[in-house]
Amino acid sequence: MSTSEAALRQAGDAIVPQGQRVLRRFLRDRSAMIGVIIVLLVVLAALLAPWLAGHDPTLTDFRNAFASPSRSHPFGTDNLGRDEFSRILHGARLSLGMAVTASLGITLVGVGLGLVAGLYGRVVATIIMRLADVFLALPTLILALVVVGLLGQGLRNLIITIVIVGWPSYARIVRGMTLQLRERGFVEAARALGASRPRIVLRHVLPNLVGPIVVLSTLDMGRVLLAVSGLSFLGFGISPPTPEWGAMLSDAKTFLDQAPQLLVWPGLAITVMVLAFNLTGDGLRDMLDPRTLQGMPSWAERHHRRHRLGAASSPDSLRTTVSRRTAD
């Protein structure tokens, strides 16, 4: 390959859209792809649980209690004769649903308060950050137990508890990133042109926070799942006989000597999903790492320079640029 052809290919790669380059980097990460595949398979199995399970997860059969794995019951049965495989699949719908809902609530509350603290003055920032410091100073488990004890048992109260415990760390991170972004040139230009604060937040600050927030939420999803399962294990989650992984662990601990497999299946499900979320989050973090995105402009910078990309990326101008560089 000649020098001019190599330079032409390098220049051609430079104008590949940022999203396409980022996606290629993610697809090359095997561990991240394994995590994504596991998450998608488990989510699909949870959605199709009524058709895949074959048994009612709450139907009891005392004559078939503690049955060994078989073709009819792949994971065996529990102390009440309920199909363990069916309960794992239906429990995935509840466990993952609560984890995703709680993570979404944490993200919305934490990001909203972090943006307000970063853009709306010292007094507001001091109030929000001192409140976050109070929550962060308390032991997480003790705080969660106090909140769920005050609110009571139930799905909604469990999600509210996780959100109350988890938002302070998000708020502090988002405030720090907002303080950096508001000093950037495109934000100062928008402010000089008379843009309102809501417009600056929605058009200039928030789009540049989407990548880090997605990475943070994905990495934190495993921790949220563990928190949901842990509180359910302690008896603050869903009331029986509704299947949920943490509650299934709590029910199975009584029969550890008689049927240890009842602890294995829900524990393995939680472990695999936490690992899958962590692998996916690590892949997203590496994909969006600023050190590997050198030369890629931010969303706002691309927005301001979009009108110049058409001429710069035409084949004639590209070949002219390459010719000049090779001549030099």
Side-chain angles (χ1 to χ4, degrees), residues 13 16 19-29 287:
D13 292 338
V16 174
Q20 187 174 349
R21 280 190 284 174
V22 169
L23 181 60
R24 288 177 181 176
R25 183 179 293 111
F26 184 77
L27 294 177
R28 296 192 191 105
D29 191 336
M287 179 182 69

Side-chain angles (χ1 to χ4, degrees), residues 12 16 33 76 92 149 152 195 198 237-238 302 306 313-314:
V16 174
M33 292 306 301
I238 303 302
R302 297 198 312 273
R306 188 174 299 170
S313 60
S314 63

Side-chain angles (χ1 to χ4, degrees), residues 213-231:
I213 291 172
V214 170
V215 174
L216 179 62
S217 299
T218 307
L219 284 171
D220 206 41
M221 191 75 71
R223 184 187 65 84
V224 174
L225 177 59
L226 285 176
V228 169
S229 301
L231 290 175

Side-chain angles (χ1 to χ4, degrees), residues 135-160:
F135 280 95
L136 291 173
L138 299 174
T140 302
L141 179 59
I142 301 301
L143 178 61
L145 293 177
V146 170
V147 174
V148 76
L150 293 175
L151 296 178
Q153 186 180 10
L155 174 61
R156 182 186 62 182
N157 293 337
L158 182 59
I159 293 175
I160 293 175

Side-chain angles (χ1 to χ4, degrees), residues 111-133:
V111 171
L113 293 177
L115 287 172
V116 171
L119 292 174
Y120 281 84
R122 181 174 299 178
V123 176
V124 176
T126 300
I127 295 174
I128 295 176
M129 290 298 100
R130 295 298 78 77
L131 181 62
D133 290 340

